Amino acid sequence: MKSHDMRQRDIALAKAEVLTEALPWINHSRGKTVVVKYGGAAMEDPELMSQVVGDVELLKLMGMRVVLVHGGGKAINKLLGDLDLPVRFKNGLRVTDDATMEAVQEVLIGKVNQQLVWALNEYGHNAVGISGADGKTFKSEQVDPELGRVGTIREVDVSLIETILEDDYIPVIASVGCGPDGFYNINADVAAGKVAEAMHADKLIYLTDVDGLYRDRNDPETLIAQLTKSETQELLESQTLDGGMIPKIQSIYDALDAGVGQVVIINGKLSHSLLLEIFTDEGIGTMFLQD
Ligand SMILES: Nc1ncnc2c1ncn2[C@@H]1O[C@H](COP(=O)(O)OP(=O)(O)OP(=O)(O)O)[C@@H](O)[C@H]1O
Ligand SMILES: [Mg+2]
C-alpha cells in the first residue's frame, strides 16, 4: 500500500474511533436540555466563533434541546470607549447608568445576538434571537442603586423559549431584562444560570476565554478539574474570586442549588471544546457537581 493510502486509512480509522467513542454519549444526550452560555470574552475570533456555532448546530442535530445565552462584555467595552463613556465594574458586575444601558442594548440585542442568529442560520438550523424583554422572559428588578440599571431576574418565564424549541428553532438569548420601569442589564452568567434553573436543564455550559477556574487566577497550571456544590459554596465564602468569575461562580452555585445536574466552565477559544465536553470520555475545563 502506498504511504499516501496508509495515511488516508489512518485518518479514516481515527474518525471511526471518534464516532464510536461518541456513540454512548450521543445516545445519552438525546432529548436532554443544555443551556450554553457563550461569553463575549470568547467571541473575538470569527473563525472560532464559527466553530462554536457549528458545534451548537451538531448538538441540535444529535437531538439535544439547546438554548444559547450570550454575553458581549468585550464588544460593550469597545462601544463605550468609542462613545467616551467609562467602563466600570463592581464585584464583576458592570456599573450601568442610562447611557451605558443604551450601549449594552445596542451591542447585545442589535449586534451580537443577530450575528449569532445569522451564523446559526447559515449552518442550516434556524435560530430565533430574543432578549429577556421578549415575552417578559426575564422579569427583572434593580440589584443595587449603586450599580444603576444592573438587574436580577426575579423570575424566568420559559413559555417563549419552550415555544421556540417546540418549533425546532434554536433560541438565542441576549441578557437584557425588563421591569415596570424599563430595561435592565443582566450579567449573562446570571441569566444563563436562571434559564438553566427554570428549564430544569440537564447541563449548563459556560464557554469563556480561560480553561476553567484556576485556584490562582494568574496561573493556568492551577486549573481545578472538579468541585462539588459545597466546595463551590466554600469558594464563594472565601472571597478569593475576582472579575468575571464572581458572577459565574455565584450563578453556578445557585444553579446547582436549584437542581441543575451538572455545570462546566470550558474554554470557548479551544477548538470544538463543546463537542469534546459532551461527546468524549475525558471531560475538559472545570466541572461542578452536586455533592
Ligand atoms: N480564578 C480565576 N480563574 C480563571 N479566570 C478568572 C479567575 N478569576 C478571574 N478570572 C477572569 O474571569 C474572566 C472570564 O470572565 P469574563 O466575564 O471576562 O468573560 P465571560 O463571562 O466569558 O464573557 P462575558 O462577560 O462577555 O459574558 C477570565 O478572562 C479571567 O480573567
Ligand atoms: Mg462575564
Side-chain angles (χ1 to χ4, degrees), residues 37 39-41 71 73 92 187-189 208 243-245 247-248:
K37 189 272 176 162
N187 175 278
D189 297 330
T208 187
M245 273 297 154
K248 224 178 282 299

Coordinates of all heavy atoms in Angstrom, one line a residue, residues 37 39-41 71 73 92 187-189 208 243-245 247-248, ligand 2:
K37 N -23.8 29.0 27.8 CA -23.6 30.5 27.9 C -22.3 30.8 27.1 O -21.2 30.3 27.5 CB -23.5 30.8 29.4 CG -23.4 32.4 29.6 CD -22.0 32.9 29.5 CE -21.9 34.4 29.6 NZ -20.6 34.8 29.9
G39 N -19.7 33.3 26.3 CA -19.2 34.5 26.8 C -18.6 35.4 25.7 O -18.0 34.9 24.7
G40 N -18.8 36.7 25.8 CA -18.3 37.7 24.9 C -16.8 37.6 24.8 O -16.2 37.9 23.8
A41 N -16.2 37.2 26.0 CA -14.7 37.1 26.0 C -14.2 36.1 25.0 O -13.0 36.2 24.6 CB -14.3 36.7 27.4
G71 N -23.1 36.6 26.1 CA -22.7 37.8 26.7 C -22.2 38.7 25.6 O -22.6 38.6 24.4
G73 N -19.3 41.2 26.7 CA -18.5 42.2 27.5 C -17.5 43.0 26.7 O -17.4 44.2 26.8
G92 N -17.4 42.3 39.7 CA -17.6 41.6 38.4 C -18.9 42.1 37.7 O -19.1 41.6 36.6
N187 N -26.2 40.4 34.0 CA -25.0 39.7 33.7 C -25.3 38.4 33.0 O -26.2 37.7 33.5 CB -24.2 39.4 35.0 CG -23.0 38.6 34.8 OD1 -23.1 37.4 34.7 ND2 -21.8 39.3 34.6
A188 N -24.7 38.1 31.9 CA -25.1 36.9 31.1 C -24.9 35.6 31.8 O -25.6 34.6 31.6 CB -24.3 36.9 29.8
D189 N -23.9 35.5 32.8 CA -23.8 34.3 33.6 C -25.0 34.1 34.4 O -25.5 33.0 34.6 CB -22.5 34.4 34.5 CG -21.2 34.5 33.7 OD1 -21.2 34.0 32.5 OD2 -20.3 35.1 34.2
T208 N -16.0 30.3 28.0 CA -15.3 31.6 28.3 C -13.9 31.6 27.6 O -13.6 30.8 26.7 CB -15.3 31.8 29.8 OG1 -14.8 33.1 30.1 CG2 -14.4 30.8 30.6
G243 N -13.1 39.6 39.4 CA -13.5 39.8 38.0 C -14.8 39.0 37.6 O -15.7 38.8 38.4
G244 N -14.8 38.6 36.3 CA -15.9 37.9 35.7 C -16.2 36.6 36.4 O -17.3 36.0 36.1
M245 N -15.3 36.1 37.2 CA -15.5 34.8 37.8 C -16.5 34.9 39.0 O -17.1 33.9 39.4 CB -14.2 34.2 38.4 CG -13.4 33.4 37.4 SD -14.3 31.9 36.8 CE -13.6 31.7 35.2
P247 N -19.6 36.6 39.3 CA -21.0 36.2 38.9 C -21.1 34.8 38.4 O -22.1 34.1 38.5 CB -21.3 37.3 37.9 CG -20.1 37.9 37.4 CD -19.1 37.8 38.6
K248 N -20.0 34.3 37.7 CA -20.0 33.0 37.2 C -20.2 32.0 38.3 O -21.1 31.1 38.2 CB -18.7 32.7 36.4 CG -18.9 32.1 35.0 CD -17.6 31.9 34.3 CE -17.1 33.1 33.6 NZ -18.0 33.6 32.6
Ligands
MG2 MG -18.7 37.6 32.3

